[in-house]
Amino acid sequence: MTKITKIEIFSLVAKFKKPFSFSGITRTSSKNIIIKINTDEGVYGIGEACPVPGMSGETSASICSVIREFIAPLLSGADPLQISVLTSKIDKAVGGNVVAKAGINIALYDLAGKLLGVPVYTLLGGKFRDYVDINGSVGLGTADEMTATAEEQMEEAGVRYIKLYCGRDDVDKDVKKLKEIIRRIGGRARVFLDVNQQWTPKAAIQAIRALEEENLLYVEQPTPKWDYAGMRQVCEAVETPIAADEAVVYTTDITNLALHRAADIITIYALKPGGVKKGYESIMLSAALGMECFIGSYLELGVGTAAGIHLSAAIPSLKYPCYMFGPLKYEFDVLKEDLEIKDGRVKVPDGPGLGIDIDEDRLRLMMVE
């Protein structure tokens, strides 16, 4: 039996090419954590935790501390193929801390795939597609700034879908700006909005109705995550599909949203629910409840993005693009070979595990004490 011998934690500062603003947050860099689970056979698994304190409440310091003090001792000497058993033990020992748990879970899936000689998507039952449509994303700014960023992303990656962040301004001002941006893009990319809970139900209905002539793909989390009644009110009042994001952390949230008819689409991450295992459980639950889903992200580097790609490949019916744009927003990634992103799609890696490996020289250059 293969045994886990050691967990290494690499705390990084990954700089964005340009500042990225949404809701009340502006990100210029990300303090990502790369996790390496070693075994007595010399095979290792790689995971990533990307802290966004405003979303999960975790920081790079808290993630490192939880892994070192609570999770690493639980995994020492364990069989890495017992992923469900290990996940259960971790959940019983540590509440919350979903991003820290996700980094470990991603590494366990990468390790299991390498030990068995199969890709992660095979561990999830197989892949439904070889390529996944992706979307770009444009943070808050002036109409000129946001249009320029959209143009750059369409040029760089050939994306045919663009997410526009909004909700900070007065609704009428926001709508006017969004219409201007969409018309400048001129049908070259399908647009959708991410409001990050900034609108009231009344404002959301007003704004979405005013924008429906622009053929929006969907609107993500227009109202507060806790307001199921408000979310349902919006869903019933507009034609544009409504996606739940911040309202979905645990799989039980999906059931509650379905019961309240508070969303049409579920946004699922590799990190937000606690890793690949729970991400896949969320995919299956969404399908069972008759709800569409897609994979979002916290703008991970290549490791976390690869985990999201494998989840995207495992969705039986994928109607919407997935947010696998993270590596393109950073000055540097940590992979030996970049993910294959072109023509608005990313290729699903076919190698064992996640199908990627890290460049340790680049990793150490990005490390902080």
Side-chain angles (χ1 to χ4, degrees):
M1 180 188 80
T2 305
K3 292 183 179 180
I4 295 172
T5 55
K6 182 181 180 182
I7 295 179
E8 296 179 80
I9 304 169
F10 304 89
S11 183
L12 314 180
V13 172
K15 295 181 180 179
F16 289 114
K17 293 174 183 175
K18 61 169 63 175
F20 182 66
S21 297
F22 59 98
S23 184
I25 301 170
T26 296
R27 297 174 68 184
T28 58
S29 63
S30 185
K31 296 183 178 180
N32 299 37
I33 311 295
I34 299 297
I35 298 152
K36 185 176 182 181
I37 299 180
N38 297 283
T39 67
D40 57 356
E41 292 187 9
V43 182
Y44 59 83
I46 300 295
E48 180 181 353
C50 180
V52 182
M55 299 287 282
S56 74
E58 296 167 86
T59 66
S60 57
S62 73
I63 289 168
C64 293
S65 178
V66 163
I67 293 173
R68 288 192 182 105
E69 294 183 34
F70 297 98
I71 298 177
L74 278 176
L75 297 186
S76 181
D79 178 356
L81 296 179
Q82 302 296 307
I83 295 176
S84 292
V85 174
L86 296 176
T87 300
S88 178
K89 286 182 177 180
I90 291 169
D91 283 341
K92 288 178 181 178
V94 183
N97 292 279
V98 289
V99 173
K101 293 175 181 177
I104 291 290
N105 187 260
I106 291 168
L108 284 172
Y109 268 92
D110 183 45
L111 177 53
K114 288 173 178 174
L115 288 170
L116 297 172
V118 299
V120 166
Y121 63 69
T122 298
L123 301 178
L124 301 178
K127 63 175 176 176
F128 287 90
R129 56 199 58 83
D130 295 318
Y131 293 86
V132 176
D133 286 335
I134 66 170
N135 63 271
S137 68
V138 178
L140 295 169
T142 66
D144 287 343
E145 291 168 342
M146 293 177 71
T147 303
T149 300
E151 296 279 2
E152 289 169 6
Q153 294 178 2
M154 289 188 287
E155 176 67 25
E156 179 181 17
V159 290
R160 299 182 296 276
Y161 300 93
I162 295 285
K163 175 198 291 195
L164 299 178
Y165 285 90
C166 59
R168 183 176 62 186
D169 296 325
D170 170 80
V171 171
D172 290 333
K173 184 178 178 181
D174 234 356
V175 167
K176 182 180 178 181
K177 180 174 72 173
L178 290 166
K179 283 188 175 184
E180 183 178 348
I181 296 165
I182 294 168
R183 290 171 184 176
R184 287 190 193 179
I185 291 172
R188 289 170 291 152
R190 189 86 183 270
V191 170
F192 58 98
L193 310 180
D194 191 346
V195 191
N196 293 121
Q197 312 178 75
Q198 299 299 299
W199 286 336
T200 63
K202 181 178 179 181
I205 292 167
Q206 175 190 341
I208 296 168
R209 282 179 173 172
L211 287 162
E212 287 195 318
E213 64 186 33
E214 307 299 339
N215 193 29
L216 296 175
L217 186 65
Y218 62 84
V219 176
E220 188 171 316
Q221 202 64 56
T223 55
K225 62 183 179 181
W226 49 264
D227 187 5
Y228 284 6
M231 292 174 68
R232 177 172 179 171
Q233 184 182 352
V234 176
C235 285
E236 291 177 342
V238 302
E239 296 295 324
T240 303
I242 302 300
D245 183 1
E246 287 92 334
V248 184
V249 177
Y250 303 104
T251 51
T252 50
D253 295 330
I254 300 172
T255 303
N256 288 330
L257 287 162
L259 288 172
H260 286 84
R261 299 179 184 175
D264 303 299
I265 309 164
I266 300 298
T267 311
I268 297 167
Y269 291 49
L271 293 188
K272 190 168 61 172
V276 172
K277 180 180 184 297
K278 292 181 180 178
Y280 185 68
E281 289 171 356
S282 297
I283 290 169
M284 292 296 99
L285 180 58
S286 299
L289 293 170
M291 303 178 79
E292 301 285 348
C293 71
F294 63 89
I295 305 301
S297 80
Y298 284 150
L299 293 180
E300 299 91 341
L301 292 161
V303 179
T305 300
I309 295 168
H310 282 271
L311 280 173
S312 302
I315 297 175
S317 175
L318 184 58
K319 183 177 178 180
Y320 297 99
C322 294
Y323 193 18
M324 300 293 106
F325 202 81
L328 297 179
K329 284 189 175 286
Y330 289 99
E331 290 182 355
F332 303 104
D333 199 0
V334 294
L335 301 186
K336 283 185 177 178
E337 294 185 14
D338 291 337
L339 295 166
E340 187 180 316
I341 298 175
K342 63 180 181 179
D343 299 326
R345 305 189 302 171
V346 61
K347 187 178 186 304
V348 180
D350 286 316
L354 293 173
I356 52 95
D357 203 357
I358 53 171
D359 181 329
E360 297 216 6
D361 290 335
R362 184 172 289 179
L363 186 72
R364 295 184 190 283
L365 284 173
M366 297 169 65
M367 283 179 62
V368 293
E369 293 296 330

